[in-house]
Every structure is written in structure tokens, then in C-alpha cells.
Amino acid sequence: MPRKIRQLKQDLRRAGYRQLPGRGKGDHTWWEHPAAPDYPINLDERDGNDAQPYQERQVRDAIRAARIAEEAEEQ
């Protein structure tokens, strides 16, 4: 069973991403991580909708990029 959009948003919050206020129109939300500002992510569905495979991939890749950026800052 596919995950819900709200679960993807929770994953982003846990990884340190924050939703950008004033960005996005309608159901679109933009997310950015302070350590990886060049890797923003856009989610375009309502919280209760099933996530598409490409959206799950985007979130997974964005979280991975944020972790790499955080590790680079620590060194």
C-alpha cells in the first residue's frame, strides 16, 4: 500500500526540512533544508492522498542530500 503525503511531510520534518511559507499555490508545498538550500523539494498533493512513486523517491533523495550536507558541515 502506498504511503500518504502526510507521511512524506513527517519524514521531511524529522530530517530537518522546513516548509517555506508563501511558496506554492493550491496544494503545492515547498520544503528546504538549512544545510542543503540548493536541494528544495516540492510536494503537490493533499495530505490524505497516496504518494506517487516519484514523490517517495524525491523525498528519499532529498533526505539523503541533507544528511550528506550536514556531515560535510561537521567536518
Side-chain angles (χ1 to χ4, degrees):
M1 187 157 116
R3 299 175 68 208
K4 300 291 184 185
I5 294 294
R6 80 173 63 85
Q7 293 171 311
L8 298 182
K9 290 179 180 180
Q10 285 175 340
D11 291 346
L12 288 171
R13 281 188 199 99
R14 277 191 223 117
Y17 272 80
R18 58 189 163 97
Q19 186 174 348
L20 298 175
R23 296 269 326 252
K25 186 174 181 181
D27 295 334
H28 290 73
T29 56
W30 280 88
W31 298 79
E32 184 178 73
H33 193 281
D38 55 338
Y39 205 103
I41 185 165
N42 176 16
L43 291 177
D44 63 342
E45 298 283 340
R46 294 183 187 254
D47 287 348
N49 290 358
D50 291 340
Q52 299 296 318
Y54 78 90
Q55 291 171 314
E56 292 190 44
R57 227 178 1 261
Q58 282 180 336
V59 168
R60 185 180 57 242
D61 293 345
I63 291 171
R64 186 177 301 129
R67 285 188 186 143
I68 290 169
E70 285 176 340
E71 289 172 2
E73 283 183 353
E74 290 175 4
Q75 294 178 354

